[in-house]
Amino acid sequence: MPIRRRTPALLLSCLALAACATTAVVAQEPSPTLTTPDGVVLGPDDGFLPDGEHLSPHDTGQPAVANLERALLDAVQDAADAAAAEGIDVQITSGWRSAALQQALFDQAVVEHGSVEEAQRFVLSPELSQHVTGRAVDIAPYDAMDWLSRFGDDYGLCRTYANEAWHFELVTSRGGECPEPLADATAG
Ligand SMILES: [Zn+2]
């Protein structure tokens, strides 16, 4: 009897492993492009980064980094170098975005949040987003966001929205004082 019971148990664990393996493959290979409902394919040239793909602020071969406004890029690079000396790895999850990519992200957010009003709290339209002008970066991981929220002002970098701990802009001069973050992108 014990031997008979082992067979289904083994089968079950094999099935479970197979399920895990399938999930892992999907998680490791996010699409390198974003296709809009209209069939437009957006990729790295639009500043699109797949989920989980982060860039170094020095990775200037990538449009998401290279097309940032020069002063912002300099500030983020200097801050990242200082953070690295303290063991903190500052990574960019999103930087410059083409207007087409911003529109696609906005359209997705409207579907996700159910209305334009609610979506605007998290993603702005291409006309309003500072990512399109190259004046905003989204940072990861958490300890890098935390470091920048404490020391970013040494480089002029400020967290501008209370509901987006990852989003930084060049708002003040180096060593200046950051204004209080707005509640969200619709405030102010
Ligand atoms: Zn952002």
Side-chain angles (χ1 to χ4, degrees):
M1 281 307 277
I3 291 170
R4 276 189 193 170
R5 274 182 200 152
R6 260 176 220 149
T7 309
L10 266 175
L11 265 175
L12 271 178
S13 48
C14 288
L15 285 172
L17 275 175
C20 288
T22 308
T23 312
V25 167
V26 170
Q28 281 167 9
E29 293 176 9
S31 172
T33 56
L34 174 71
T35 305
T36 70
D38 300 336
V40 178
V41 178
L42 304 166
D45 287 347
D46 294 282
F48 176 73
L49 294 181
D51 272 353
E53 186 180 323
H54 301 169
L55 299 175
S56 155
H58 293 285
D59 201 351
T60 50
Q62 291 280 347
V65 173
N67 292 347
L68 289 173
E69 200 176 69
R70 187 70 228 181
L72 171 65
L73 181 57
D74 285 345
V76 175
Q77 286 178 340
D78 290 350
D81 293 347
E86 296 178 25
I88 307 283
D89 185 19
V90 173
Q91 300 163 13
I92 293 178
T93 61
S94 189
W96 169 83
R97 301 171 190 152
S98 71
L101 174 59
Q102 188 69 31
Q103 186 68 53
L105 296 176
F106 182 70
D107 292 344
Q108 272 186 351
V110 172
V111 171
E112 200 175 307
H113 295 285
S115 72
V116 166
E117 290 70 26
E118 196 56 23
Q120 279 172 337
R121 298 183 55 225
F122 304 95
V123 184
L124 287 170
S125 66
E127 296 75 31
L128 297 174
S129 174
Q130 295 287 32
H131 282 282
V132 176
T133 56
R135 293 189 187 133
V137 280
D138 295 342
I139 297 296
Y142 178 80
D143 60 353
M145 300 175 204
D146 179 57
W147 191 93
L148 270 184
S149 71
R150 288 186 286 140
F151 307 115
D153 55 1
D154 288 349
Y155 306 89
L157 297 168
C158 304
R159 181 179 156 186
T160 47
Y161 302 121
N163 72 334
E164 293 186 26
W166 51 87
H167 177 104
F168 289 84
E169 296 178 23
L170 191 66
V171 173
T172 186
S173 54
R174 291 190 181 220
E177 201 174 318
C178 287
E180 276 296 305
L182 300 171
D184 61 43
T186 61

